[in-house]
Amino acid sequence: SSGINAEWPLRPGEEQLTHVTDTESLKKLELSLKPLELQDCLNAFVKSDELCAGSTWYCTLCDSEQSAITSTSISHLPPYLILQLNRFNVLSTGLGRTEKISCPVHIPQHNLDLSCVTTGSKPVSSYSLCGIVHHTGGIGGGHYTCQSLTDDTWRYYNDTMVTTREPLTSDDGIPGNDSDARSAYVLLYRQNCDLPNT
């Protein structure tokens, strides 16, 4: 399996997130924002960045610092894909404080399209959700739970308790449970082909 650390795209009004200096302001701003689409996070992950003034690239051929464009893409998709949502923000206080981002994310159960992150002419297969790791709490402490699809049944694991529980989203990406949409941290997707369901 391979992993992707999915980034948060900046939408109108969100540029403020990078300038927030305290937890209370961050939480107020988060609550005012609309839910993100997982596809938008993937698009932000592969977005080209310009390396210039202060973050240039050293060229060994010309022996000098150069401006450059960087981008990320995947050439071969794995049978199982792990997506980690980047849910932590370094506050711009100069102290390096970090706070958790709890914006809800619409996560598709079926037909996740990865054409935006792949290169080449090979057809891109879609993926179906088969596991979710949730994190509740903050930076200093929290609790992990998870959901997994086993034998066509979604199970929810919370310490020693195992119950059946539908996933956090419906097929159209609408959150089934807002707290789940805010706590999803790691997603496990299975390529849509003849792979075992366990």
Side-chain angles (χ1 to χ4, degrees), residues 93-165:
T93 61
L95 302 174
R97 286 192 11 210
T98 305
E99 295 295 335
K100 185 174 178 188
I101 300 170
S102 296
C103 292
V105 179
H106 290 172
I107 299 167
Q109 275 191 51
H110 303 287
N111 301 317
L112 175 65
D113 177 18
L114 293 175
S115 58
C116 70
V117 299
T118 58
T119 58
S121 59
K122 185 178 176 183
V124 177
S125 62
S126 63
Y127 283 75
S128 291
L129 186 67
C130 61
I132 307 161
V133 176
H134 299 278
H135 178 266
T136 54
I139 295 292
H143 184 65
Y144 289 93
T145 59
C146 71
Q147 289 173 268
S148 70
L149 181 63
T150 307
D151 299 325
D152 296 322
T153 301
W154 280 95
R155 291 186 171 81
Y156 179 74
Y157 302 87
N158 185 354
D159 293 333
T160 59
M161 291 182 52
V162 179
T163 57
T164 58
R165 179 168 145 187

Side-chain angles (χ1 to χ4, degrees), residues 104 134 165-170 174-183:
H134 299 278
R165 179 168 145 187
E166 287 302 309
L168 71 156
T169 61
S170 62
I174 304 302
N177 180 326
D178 188 58
S179 65
D180 281 353
R182 291 178 181 278
S183 67

Side-chain angles (χ1 to χ4, degrees), residues 70-105:
T70 65
S71 62
T72 303
S73 64
I74 300 172
S75 60
H76 296 87
L77 289 170
Y80 290 91
L81 180 70
I82 300 168
L83 299 177
Q84 176 186 346
L85 299 177
N86 189 6
R87 287 221 177 253
F88 300 98
N89 180 42
V90 176
L91 301 177
S92 60
T93 61
L95 302 174
R97 286 192 11 210
T98 305
E99 295 295 335
K100 185 174 178 188
I101 300 170
S102 296
C103 292
V105 179

